[in-house]
Amino acid sequence: MSDDRGRTYGHKRDREQDTREHGRRGRNRRGRGRHGTSARDPDVAGRRQLGAGFVALVGLSGGLMAIQGGAPLEVIGAVTLGSFLLGGALLWYLSRIMG
């Protein structure tokens, strides 16, 4: 139904169709929607660099603490590797809870 100005009334059917087109978390099933990311998005590259820097910071800090403690070379390597793994796990956890 529309009036003389072209405005339509009775949008209930349109609203029902719009809600059916949205999948989980409100994303549009037809495409990525407004909140989707693409490979060309510069924000994705920045997040990856920030994540890599975070993991490197955690990993190297663990190794430096082992060096300061006077640990043997094998222990320094093991602590550094473990710190990198811990930094990766922490980054994964933070990315899961932040969205």
Side-chain angles (χ1 to χ4, degrees), residues 37-53:
T37 58
S38 67
R40 295 182 184 155
D41 191 7
D43 193 35
V44 172
R47 286 183 195 164
R48 286 183 182 159
Q49 289 176 353
L50 184 63

Side-chain angles (χ1 to χ4, degrees), residues 40-98:
R40 295 182 184 155
D41 191 7
D43 193 35
V44 172
R47 286 183 195 164
R48 286 183 182 159
Q49 289 176 353
L50 184 63
F54 178 77
V55 171
L57 180 68
V58 172
L60 294 176
S61 68
L64 287 175
M65 287 174 52
I67 290 172
Q68 280 185 327
L73 188 60
E74 297 84 19
V75 174
I76 292 172
V79 167
T80 303
L81 180 63
S83 297
F84 274 111
L85 292 174
L86 183 65
L90 184 58
L91 180 65
W92 173 82
Y93 174 73
L94 290 173
S95 66
R96 292 280 291 174
I97 66 170
M98 296 302 285

Side-chain angles (χ1 to χ4, degrees), residues 22 26-29 31-38 41:
H22 286 71
R27 292 188 185 130
N28 192 342
R29 277 193 248 161
R32 288 200 166 273
R34 184 174 169 210
H35 299 289
T37 58
S38 67
D41 191 7

